[in-house]
Amino acid sequence: MTETAHAAVLTAPRTFETREYPVPDVDIGSGVLRVEAAGLCGTDYEQFAGHLEGTKWAIRPIIPGHEILGHVEKLGREAARTWKVKEGDRVIVESSIPCGQCFQCLIGRTVLCQHNLGYGLRISVNEAPHLWGGYASHMYLHPRARLHRAPTDVPTGVMSLFNPLSNAVRWGFEKPGTGIGDTIVIEGPGQRGLLAVVVAKMAGAAQVIITGTRADRARLALAKQLGADATIVVDEEDPVERVRDLTGGAGADIVLDVSAGATEPIIQAVEMVRAGGTVVVAGLKNQRPVGNLVTDKLILKEISMVGVLSSSWTATERSIDILRRRWKDLRALCTHGYPIERADTAVKLLGREIEDGPEPVHIHLTPR
Ligand SMILES: [Zn+2]
Ligand SMILES: [Zn+2]
């Protein structure tokens, strides 16, 4: 008898439908995942709210969920060799399914693959075998999927932090090359900003400063708990002045912008970074231009400004290692978990349309 999978399908903006599909059979190169959890991030809300219309991510009907944790349930012989896993193993599945053949794939920059499929974002549920997202009991493992072995003793909610944590590793450590003695400013205390605090500290940063607004008080307190040396409330004090004070006038070695929407942090980053320093730009601004950015300052101060999107293989491996060793410290970020039947509630909470207990930081969904 064929097993049945359950999924939350986004059929129109703001509309979920629970649907059932047969759990697919696997051939030699593919597999099936029993989903344990799907983590949520801002993209889940944008997708739900219809903010991605006109982009390649505006695909429906779709099973969302691109931050995927689960156990290998079925596995082809060839797939077992490729992924170095066996049935029953706990794994993380990267969102991207790179083509392996385009220029970007060939030079190892799969995040920019031109034909990237992508779980939860790029493939409609209408495409067989239908199970292309994490808001479901099962998910199809495509032959080109990228799997990482996950430790078995880290609780579900914390383990589902791997995706934002891998971003924090790439943006707060790999790209800027954060090291011993550095001062880093992190603009924006969302889950990625908070995790970047942990990453920067582990990398040896001497001073980690995080900024937020008055509304972020709870998150800034959490940042302190995670090791931040100083917090700045940008609507109460001048962040550029504060950073100058905290660095003896020199400025920060690295500024990481993970704030969503606001463009002022980019202008401030150029002011607060030291000469020869690096500004990492990771917070999307909804296609808006950045006000009065004076690029001469980049030249005269020899500032490196670098855009970053998503994660990397190594950053994901490092995030797993951090979770293995430090998961108890990161539990405080896991504020909410819901069954997939309540995807609607989870995504609305994420978009701050509703409230449900504590200030949301990391939210995850689990199948029943
Ligand atoms: Zn995400
Ligand atoms: Zn490619």
Side-chain angles (χ1 to χ4, degrees):
M1 213 181 77
T2 323
E3 223 187 324
T4 304
H6 308 268
V9 180
L10 187 70
T11 54
R14 312 186 62 80
T15 312
F16 280 113
E17 230 174 68
T18 303
R19 291 192 189 169
E20 294 188 348
Y21 297 94
V23 174
D25 290 325
V26 301
D27 59 15
I28 189 167
S30 60
V32 168
L33 183 83
R34 179 175 281 276
V35 178
E36 181 183 339
L40 269 60
C41 75
T43 306
D44 292 78
Y45 180 72
E46 306 272 288
Q47 187 180 28
F48 168 78
H51 294 169
L52 302 175
E53 300 312 293
T55 75
K56 58 190 178 184
W57 296 287
I59 288 173
R60 284 184 305 267
I62 193 168
I63 305 172
H66 60 277
E67 307 186 355
I68 305 142
L69 170 68
H71 292 85
V72 177
E73 181 154 296
K74 294 189 196 179
L75 191 63
R77 189 159 31 89
E78 194 65 46
R81 243 199 321 264
T82 311
W83 295 326
K84 299 180 183 70
V85 296
K86 54 185 190 315
E87 282 174 10
D89 279 357
R90 194 187 201 196
V91 293
I92 275 163
V93 185
E94 287 192 20
S95 164
S96 91
I97 308 173
C99 79
Q101 298 299 325
C102 72
F103 171 77
Q104 300 291 355
C105 281
L106 290 172
I107 64 166
R109 212 165 186 161
T110 51
V111 64
L112 298 179
C113 171
Q114 284 134 15
H115 314 289
N116 204 333
L117 289 173
Y119 286 112
L121 291 167
R122 297 286 302 278
I123 318 171
S124 170
V125 74
N126 291 339
E127 235 172 279
H130 317 295
L131 300 168
W132 296 104
Y135 292 14
S137 60
H138 298 73
M139 197 178 78
Y140 173 64
L141 295 172
H142 184 280
R144 290 198 308 275
R146 287 150 62 98
L147 274 63
H148 300 257
R149 298 266 299 276
T152 53
D153 57 343
V154 180
T156 302
V158 197
M159 198 63 224
S160 75
L161 278 169
F162 78 89
N163 181 293
L165 182 55
S166 69
N167 290 158
V169 169
R170 183 152 181 264
W171 307 345
F173 166 67
E174 287 186 352
K175 275 283 176 181
T178 309
I180 294 169
D182 282 343
T183 291
I184 179 169
V185 178
I186 297 159
E187 299 179 294
Q191 54 178 346
R192 286 173 174 76
L194 292 169
L195 289 164
V197 169
V198 176
V199 167
K201 273 288 165 189
M202 288 183 84
Q207 191 167 215
V208 177
I209 303 163
I210 185 163
T211 72
T213 64
R214 218 177 273 133
D216 293 321
R217 287 243 184 256
R219 290 159 181 244
L220 292 175
L222 185 52
K224 278 271 196 183
Q225 197 184 314
L226 293 169
D229 300 282
T231 59
I232 303 176
V233 180
V234 297
D235 35 16
E236 282 175 5
E237 51 197 333
D238 179 354
V240 176
E241 283 300 310
R242 257 316 281 298
V243 170
R244 285 208 184 114
D245 286 349
L246 289 163
T247 56
D253 300 284
I254 298 151
V255 181
L256 165 63
D257 173 47
V258 276
S259 65
T263 56
E264 194 58 25
I266 301 290
I267 305 281
Q268 290 164 346
V270 171
E271 298 300 324
M272 55 174 71
V273 74
R274 70 161 164 78
T278 302
V279 176
V280 180
V281 183
L284 288 170
K285 310 303 182 193
N286 310 320
Q287 300 295 327
R288 283 189 299 139
V290 174
N292 298 317
L293 178 67
V294 179
T295 55
D296 287 356
K297 291 184 181 179
L298 305 184
I299 298 168
L300 297 171
K301 285 174 75 179
E302 285 213 333
I303 295 166
S304 304
M305 191 177 253
V306 53
V308 287
L309 171 74
S310 183
S311 189
S312 65
W313 178 268
T314 49
T316 304
E317 285 290 309
R318 283 178 169 128
S319 77
I320 293 167
D321 177 61
I322 294 170
L323 285 165
R324 183 180 285 121
R325 293 191 282 136
R326 296 280 304 273
W327 67 267
K328 285 180 185 153
D329 303 333
L330 302 181
R331 268 184 301 200
L333 275 80
C334 301
T335 53
H336 295 78
Y338 297 98
I340 53 172
E341 289 76 15
R342 294 189 65 199
D344 187 82
T345 305
V347 182
K348 284 179 179 163
L349 178 71
L350 180 72
R352 305 207 178 187
E353 289 186 15
I354 56 169
E355 283 179 30
D356 186 11
E359 172 81 6
V361 180
H362 179 70
I363 305 168
H364 71 278
L365 290 170
T366 49
R368 69 179 111 119

